[in-house]
Amino acid sequence: LRDELEAKYPQLSTLDVKPFITSLRMVKSPYEIEQIRDAIAATNLGINKLILSLRPGIMEYELADIFEFFGRSQNRSKLSFPTIVGSGKNATCLHYPTQNCAVRSGELILFDLGYKSNGYCADISRTFPVDGVFTGNMKKVYEAVLNCNKAVIEYAHAGLTIADLQEYAKTFLKNECVRLELLDEEDDIRKVYFHNVSHHLGLDTHDASNREKPLEEGNVITVEPGLYFADLGIGVRIEDDILIHESSCEVLSAGIPKEIEDIEKLFRTKGN
């Protein structure tokens, strides 16, 4: 189109505004940050509703519908993206689409979801034990991902790139998997961790960004390490939304439980 315009109107010069718009969208204003906070807070309420509804035998699509309908009841009619619900082995499929299986006792279930607030997105992933207790390899895998999630958050600050965060996450996950005897030293971490640890967040779930540009104060990004052991039927992803500061970051989704003891407590008390 640009070539056509310049050929038709040779007296005019054109300028590609995409880099300028992208740069503006990457740094969030105080208003934009408050909208993202609000979307996250609403998403937390929806996750609590899912915990109350979760039980063996319920269908994955029923849980996705519960999240959507609860949002509508709270005047949250728009989702950040179609809700992902994967239980057992289904959670090892990235962006699992079908959601037509019954949830089974003894499995983990992965939720990737978010509401919008005035057009701004939340993007949260949490993984829960269907029976309310982490055991065996489920606990090991969850522990590895949780430790990585917290380590990347501790590491993130202005001046780093998304690629820096990814390399840090890959190395950390490999060391954790070896420590917990989930992988051998010679195994490639990419066979159980095959996506990026972060992306920018805003008006779009994967917001406009220049991924080569170092992070700067005011960027809002995700931190979402995961491990996917199809042979064990275990998939875990833990995703938070963070605000970048000069020498640190703020976890905007800090109020959404992810510690093992906090999740197990929620399940113990959900009937009270």
Side-chain angles (χ1 to χ4, degrees), residues 45-59:
L45 295 177
I47 290 172
N48 289 336
K49 183 68 173 178
L50 288 172
I51 290 174
L52 290 172
S53 305
L54 183 58
R55 65 184 186 280
I58 194 170
M59 300 298 290

Side-chain angles (χ1 to χ4, degrees), residues 86 88-94 107-111 125-129 134 137-147 149 173 182 192-195 224-230 233-239 258 260 263:
K89 189 174 182 178
N90 296 336
T92 69
C93 174
L94 192 61
E107 292 182 336
L108 292 176
I109 186 164
L110 189 157
F111 296 100
S125 295
R126 287 295 185 267
T127 307
F128 300 131
F134 291 93
N137 283 327
M138 293 192 306
K139 188 171 185 177
K140 283 185 177 183
V141 176
Y142 189 90
E143 179 185 336
V145 176
L146 178 63
N147 289 343
N149 168 275
L173 282 174
L182 294 166
V192 292
Y193 172 56
F194 35 74
H195 59 78
E224 50 179 306
L227 287 172
Y228 311 93
F229 290 87
I234 296 173
V236 174
R237 186 162 61 253
I238 303 171
E239 178 180 19
K258 61 184 179 183
I260 288 174
I263 291 171

Side-chain angles (χ1 to χ4, degrees), residues 2-244:
R2 186 177 181 181
D3 291 340
E4 292 176 11
L5 287 172
E6 290 179 343
K8 189 173 183 179
Y9 305 102
Q11 74 278 18
L12 300 179
S13 60
T14 61
L15 179 68
D16 183 3
V17 299
K18 182 178 178 181
F20 300 98
I21 294 173
T22 296
S23 182
L24 287 171
R25 285 182 62 171
M26 288 171 67
V27 178
K28 303 303 190 285
S29 69
Y31 171 81
E32 291 176 299
I33 293 167
E34 285 309 306
Q35 297 312 307
I36 295 172
R37 288 186 197 275
D38 185 62
I40 291 168
T43 300
N44 190 15
L45 295 177
I47 290 172
N48 289 336
K49 183 68 173 178
L50 288 172
I51 290 174
L52 290 172
S53 305
L54 183 58
R55 65 184 186 280
I58 194 170
M59 300 298 290
E60 294 164 333
Y61 63 76
E62 289 183 88
L63 291 165
D65 289 346
I66 286 168
F67 183 76
E68 181 174 355
F69 295 154
F70 178 78
R72 291 178 182 277
S73 75
Q74 304 295 306
N75 295 317
R76 307 285 175 170
S77 60
K78 292 187 177 180
L79 300 174
S80 300
F81 50 91
T83 301
I84 297 168
V85 182
S87 60
K89 189 174 182 178
N90 296 336
T92 69
C93 174
L94 192 61
H95 297 156
Y96 168 65
T98 51
Q99 303 180 160
N100 58 5
C101 291
V103 173
R104 297 190 301 180
S105 178
E107 292 182 336
L108 292 176
I109 186 164
L110 189 157
F111 296 100
D112 192 346
L113 37 68
Y115 297 128
K116 285 188 173 185
S117 176
N118 291 322
Y120 288 86
C121 300
D123 185 5
I124 302 295
S125 295
R126 287 295 185 267
T127 307
F128 300 131
V130 173
D131 299 321
V133 179
F134 291 93
T135 60
N137 283 327
M138 293 192 306
K139 188 171 185 177
K140 283 185 177 183
V141 176
Y142 189 90
E143 179 185 336
V145 176
L146 178 63
N147 289 343
C148 183
N149 168 275
K150 294 192 290 187
V152 174
I153 288 170
E154 181 70 22
Y155 176 61
H157 58 80
L160 298 174
T161 65
I162 295 288
D164 292 331
L165 299 185
Q166 174 70 347
E167 286 305 308
Y168 185 88
K170 283 168 59 179
T171 300
F172 192 98
L173 282 174
K174 175 61 183 289
N175 291 338
E176 281 291 277
C177 285
V178 172
R179 179 181 71 83
L180 294 167
E181 299 181 339
L182 294 166
L183 291 178
D184 295 327
E185 286 280 0
E186 65 273 13
D187 288 332
D188 188 346
I189 188 63
R190 289 175 296 181
K191 71 181 184 182
V192 292
Y193 172 56
F194 35 74
H195 59 78
N196 214 310
V197 76
S198 184
H199 58 78
H200 284 257
L201 180 70
L203 287 169
D204 289 315
T205 308
H206 287 249
D207 210 27
S209 66
N210 175 358
R211 295 179 66 88
E212 305 303 316
K213 187 177 181 180
L215 296 171
E216 56 187 313
E217 190 156 2
N219 290 168
V220 176
I221 64 171
T222 64
V223 174
E224 50 179 306
L227 287 172
Y228 311 93
F229 290 87
D231 56 331
L232 300 176
I234 296 173
V236 174
R237 186 162 61 253
I238 303 171
E239 178 180 19
D240 285 298
D241 303 333
I242 68 172
L243 171 64
I244 295 295

